[in-house]
Structures are given as structure tokens and as C-alpha cells.
Amino acid sequence: MKGRPYLIALFAVLAAGSLAAQQPDDKAKSRSAEKGILVEQVLGEIPNLRLAENRAGALARTGVLVCKSDPKLAAEIFRSSVSDLLSAQSFAEADRKNPGPNQDLLNSQVTRPMILRMIAGCDAEFALQSLYKSRPTAVERAFAIPADAPPKLNNISPAYSTLAQNEINLEQLFMRLAAEQNPDSTIDLLKASLKKGLSAETLSLLKRLNSKDPVAAAEMADEVIGRLMQTGFLSGNQPDRQAISLAGAILAEFARNKTPTETPIKFDPARVHSLLDRLVSFYVVNGKKYGYSSFRNILPAADKLSPSAARQLRSLEATSRPTVPGSQDSEFSKLLSTNPNADTLLAYARRASETNQRQAYFAAANKLADAGEYDRALAILNNTFSDETLENAIGSLNWYYVHLLMNKGRYSEAEQLIEQFGDNNRRAATVELAKALFRKDPVGNKNYAVTLLDKVRAELPARPETNFEMQQLVQLIVVYLDIEQSEGLRMFEPLIPLINDLSDASAMMWTFQGMLYVKQGEFMINQGFPYNLNLDPTIFRTMSQKDFDSTLKLVDGFNRREMRIWMKINLAEAR
């Protein structure tokens, strides 16, 4: 990144001085210093990423980390982020013969909106400028196509109407944020935004404008309602769910009870009445074809404006309410609401339908367990069910009873019952028991809890051979970190070489298969990274709270630069 030595030096001074000065508490000072170390290291590594989109995303997240403490520094980082985003888009435009790997950048699907949203949270005006500057060719074309043009389908790009609407949504979001961040330009900015089109932000923009200029807000509200009615709530041959949602929100806003001190938007009641009629007509004519939305949010407006419309909505709601196979009927639900005892549930089960019969027997067994009659509950299940149903019922009862014993402090009884579980459930339940013991008395029960964890650890391989074994071991390490943190850190260290092997193998295989997770040999960290690599950042956050230096050493053990950057940003965001 251009000017990086200056940025690193500036942030190092900032982290050691002004940030700590703002936080007099020693713990806060330590967290600020750790954040400074992480950000400095991230800024040092980002220029070496291969993918410009990876650099852009990492820079945007890093800029967010410092934008409150040093807006000038953040602005420099954000400019570099947008510069890398433009480079990535230019490469994608030049490589249009490979639309698959490039469609995210060509169609503004994930990376560009994500980066600009992050920037907008700190500097919405710059995000808005960058939105226009970075608009891809496909989005420009989408705006050039008339709204009433028949849709054309293709295999790669989303519909042009979707591209245009997504862009309008971003634009109105950034305009609203810009108005909040810079109140002096609020009225003109909000008016300009509302004239751009309709989006999920439209009502929020109207409210913001109303707080500054109620007359202008009333005029714009009338214009918005007019546009909504023109849509007919259809876009091509599909329901315009955004317009439907906005219409419902406006109706709900009109109907809600206002406080004496607020100045609500002055909607024209006649126009709102027309909007309600148009929306109800859409539901009546098209509901069965396109699916019903929830009517609850517009019922208050219907009750207020049109009793006949309210009756129509309630009739539609009643006839469109889905029936879920296997769901409890109203009679059983009503019975459960009375908190019946086990005998009442058993009496009901003997005459209930098959679905409710099962649920009633399960509920009765749990009630008996609550009363300490575990053996009787077990006998009822054995006499009622068979095969896999019986196995699942007993498993459910045992889990329920184990948690009941834990809550009552009867830990040895819980441990004895857990020993009867199958391997996977036994390990999971033993870890739960260790956690319960430690929560109850971190000092007196620590040794007992560690003994239980050691028992589970002895059953798992030091180097997992399957993803499931890896997940079990990582879950165990997380509990060790709470109870015996040094042991948890020692257990994780041998997993780093395995994670390196898995990540390199995954990158090679996914590249060979043409999957979109990897490009130019580098994981795409803006596309939901780390996929299936068992790199849950919360684990490292927990470790770093216990021992920052050791955790940083573990992270530096990752061979892949994008993994180190991604994890360090996550650690910094937790500080």
C-alpha cells in the first residue's frame, strides 16, 4: 500500500500513546496495545497478498479498527482499499472470458458491497463517492435499461433489475449514513436520495428528513406512495418484495400510536388509504400464485382506514396459514399450557393422534424424571416404543435427566448415567459435566473437572484423522482454555501443522476442481473464509484473552499469509 511505512509508524505511536492515554484502566491499556500490535502486523502483511480483492477487504476491515481513534489514518487506509478494489475490478473486466471466478466483481455481488458498507460506517461520504467510482459495467448497463423492459435471462449474471435495485439500496444506505454523520448537508442529501428510487432505506430516509424539514418530508412521502402504487407490486413476472415490504412499513408507521412529543411524518390519509387498497388487491389476486406475506403489520392500518380491507386480510390470513405435518394440534398445545402432570399426559396419550401421542409420551417421561421417577419413565418408553424410535426416546430422556442431575448438583449420578451413553454422546456429555462442575465452584471442583476432560482427551487421537474428530478435539480445547488454560494452549499447538497441511491441500484441490474459494493459489477471504478449516476465530479470541503472546505465536505458525491476516484482524476486532 502506498505510504505504508508512514502508516505503520503513525499507528505504532498512536497505539503506544494516545490510545492508552484515553483508557486509564490497566486492562484497557493492555488491550489497546495488543490491538496496535495486531493492526501494525496486518498492515505489514497486506501488500504481499496476491489478490487485489483480498487486499481491499483486509484494508477496509483494518480501517474500521482505527477510524474512531484516528480518522486521518483510517481515511488513508480506506483510499488504499478502494484503490485495490478498482484494480481487482479492472482485472476482472479484462478477464471476462472467465466469468465464473470474476462474477463477484463483475456484478458487485459480495466484495464491493461489503467493502463499501464497512467504509460507510466510518465515512459515508467517501463510501458514496467510491460507490459511483467503482460501479461495474454490468451495473451501469442495468441503469440504462428501462424499468418496463422485458427481462432477459443468462447463466451468469443476476437480472439487470436486481443489479440496479441492489445499487440503489447501497446508495440510499450511504446517503442516510452521510446525513447522520454530517447533519449540515442533511436536507439536500436526503431529498436527492429519495428521488433516486425505492429501497429498504426509504422510510428511514423519510423519517430523517422529517426531523429536519416536515414539509419536505410530507411532499416526498406523497411521491413515494405514488411510486409504490405505480409498481403494482410486481417486477416482471415476480412479486416486488421490496416494494411490498416498504408499503407494509409505511402503513404500519401511519397506524402506530404516536407519543405526544413526537412529530410524525404527515402522510396524506387518502393516499395511504389508496396504498392499502392497492396492496390488499395484490394479495387477493396474486396471493395464491406468489405466496402470502405476513399481514399482521398492516392490519392496524386496515382497522384504522378500511374495515372491509381488514376483514379481507383476516380472511386471507386464516385460509393461507400453513399446516405443518407432524405439528401439535391446538388441543395438545392447550393441554401443555396448563403444565399437566405425568399421569394427565399419559391419559391423554392413550386417546391422542399418533403424532401427539408420541409427544405426550415424551413429555410424560420428562415429567417423571423431574419428579425423580427415572426408572418409571424408562419403563414407559420401553413399553411404548421400539427400534430406532425407542433408542432415540431413551437417548433424549437420558440427556434430559443428566442435565437435571447437573442442575441439582448430583454430579456423580450424572457421571454414572453418562457412562451408559454411546461414544460420541458420552464425550459430549462428559465435557458438559466438566463445564457445569467448574461453573458451580471454579476452585473446589477444578480438579474433578480436569479429570473428566482428561478422560475425554484420552479417547481422542492427538492428530485427528477425520473432520469430526477435529471438531471434537477443538471443542474440548475450548473448555480446557476456561478451566486449565495452559493445557488448552499446549493441546492446540500440535494442530497447527495439520491445519497447514489441510489448507494447502484444500487450496490445491479446489484450484484443480475450478471452485471459487481459491484464486491464483490464494484463498478468497471475502467469500466466507475459512470454509471447512476449523478456524473458528472465537477460539483464538478466547486464547488471546488468556495469553496474548502465545496466541500470536500460534497464529504466526500458519503458513498461509491470508490466514494469518484474517485471524489477526478478527483478534483486533475483539479488542
Side-chain angles (χ1 to χ4, degrees), residues 105 137 204 246 347 371 439 477 489 525 544 560:
L105 293 166
T137 302
S204 296
L246 176 57
R439 282 196 302 266
I477 289 171
L489 287 164
I525 58 178
S544 69
R560 303 188 69 86

Side-chain angles (χ1 to χ4, degrees), residues 350 377 546:
R350 296 185 190 102
K546 307 286 185 181

Side-chain angles (χ1 to χ4, degrees), residues 46 75 94 126 132 169 178-179 183 270 294 319 357 385 398 433 451 466 469 502 512 530 538 564:
I46 286 175
F126 179 66
Y132 303 136
N169 294 348
S294 173
T319 57
Q357 191 176 53
F385 303 106
N398 285 343
L433 178 58
T451 300
T466 67
E469 288 179 351
L502 289 171
F512 181 78
T538 58
R564 295 195 299 270

Side-chain angles (χ1 to χ4, degrees), residues 218-291:
E219 293 175 356
M220 291 305 303
D222 190 67
E223 186 175 329
V224 166
I225 290 175
R227 285 190 212 162
L228 280 171
M229 289 194 292
Q230 288 174 4
T231 67
F233 304 109
L234 285 172
S235 177
N237 294 321
Q238 296 298 319
D240 188 340
R241 302 198 183 280
Q242 186 157 255
I244 293 169
S245 176
L246 176 57
I250 288 174
L251 290 168
E253 172 64 19
F254 174 80
R256 73 175 176 85
N257 294 325
K258 317 297 193 297
T259 64
T261 57
E262 69 177 304
T263 304
I265 301 170
K266 292 182 179 179
F267 292 106
D268 181 345
R271 296 283 281 171
V272 176
H273 194 295
S274 297
L275 179 64
L276 173 66
D277 287 343
R278 180 64 62 89
L279 185 57
V280 172
S281 296
F282 169 80
Y283 284 139
V284 170
V285 174
N286 300 294
K288 289 183 179 180
K289 183 178 179 181
Y290 298 122

Side-chain angles (χ1 to χ4, degrees), residues 202-429:
T202 297
L203 182 57
S204 296
L205 290 167
L206 282 173
K207 289 179 179 178
R208 187 74 183 175
L209 179 59
N210 186 65
S211 68
K212 300 293 181 181
D213 188 340
V215 174
E219 293 175 356
M220 291 305 303
D222 190 67
E223 186 175 329
V224 166
I225 290 175
R227 285 190 212 162
L228 280 171
M229 289 194 292
Q230 288 174 4
T231 67
F233 304 109
L234 285 172
S235 177
N237 294 321
Q238 296 298 319
D240 188 340
R241 302 198 183 280
Q242 186 157 255
I244 293 169
S245 176
L246 176 57
I250 288 174
L251 290 168
E253 172 64 19
F254 174 80
R256 73 175 176 85
N257 294 325
K258 317 297 193 297
T259 64
T261 57
E262 69 177 304
T263 304
I265 301 170
K266 292 182 179 179
F267 292 106
D268 181 345
R271 296 283 281 171
V272 176
H273 194 295
S274 297
L275 179 64
L276 173 66
D277 287 343
R278 180 64 62 89
L279 185 57
V280 172
S281 296
F282 169 80
Y283 284 139
V284 170
V285 174
N286 300 294
K288 289 183 179 180
K289 183 178 179 181
Y290 298 122
Y292 294 98
S293 300
S294 173
F295 306 125
R296 294 178 182 237
N297 65 328
I298 63 173
L299 277 171
D303 288 331
K304 193 170 187 177
L305 291 168
S306 174
S308 62
R311 285 193 296 271
Q312 281 183 295
L313 288 174
R314 287 188 169 88
S315 176
L316 286 171
E317 186 179 37
T319 57
S320 65
R321 191 176 293 121
T323 300
V324 180
S327 62
Q328 298 170 356
D329 64 26
S330 58
E331 180 187 30
F332 186 41
S333 298
K334 186 176 180 180
L335 174 63
L336 289 177
S337 69
T338 65
N339 191 25
N341 60 30
D343 289 331
T344 301
L345 287 164
L346 290 171
Y348 171 81
R350 296 185 190 102
R351 61 177 175 81
S353 64
E354 182 179 350
T355 299
N356 288 335
Q357 191 176 53
R358 291 180 181 224
Q359 299 301 321
Y361 277 120
F362 294 159
N366 288 344
K367 286 286 185 180
L368 290 170
D370 284 335
E373 297 184 70
Y374 171 78
D375 291 338
R376 184 186 170 197
L378 193 60
I380 287 172
L381 295 180
N382 276 301
N383 291 333
T384 305
F385 303 106
S386 62
D387 301 325
E388 290 185 7
T389 303
L390 174 61
E391 185 179 340
N392 292 334
I394 292 176
S396 178
L397 173 65
N398 285 343
W399 269 102
Y400 181 83
Y401 193 50
V402 160
H403 280 95
L404 189 67
L405 292 172
M406 289 183 197
N407 291 335
K408 292 183 177 181
R410 294 158 63 180
Y411 302 118
S412 60
E413 292 180 59
E415 185 181 4
Q416 291 173 11
L417 182 56
I418 289 170
E419 288 298 321
Q420 302 175 27
F421 289 12
D423 288 348
N424 292 331
N425 284 339
R426 185 182 65 253
R427 291 167 191 156

Side-chain angles (χ1 to χ4, degrees), residues 504-522:
D504 288 340
S506 296
M508 181 182 297
M509 181 60 68
W510 291 339
T511 299
F512 181 78
Q513 293 175 338
M515 299 179 72
L516 302 182
Y517 303 130
V518 182
K519 193 164 133 183
Q520 298 179 32
E522 188 172 275

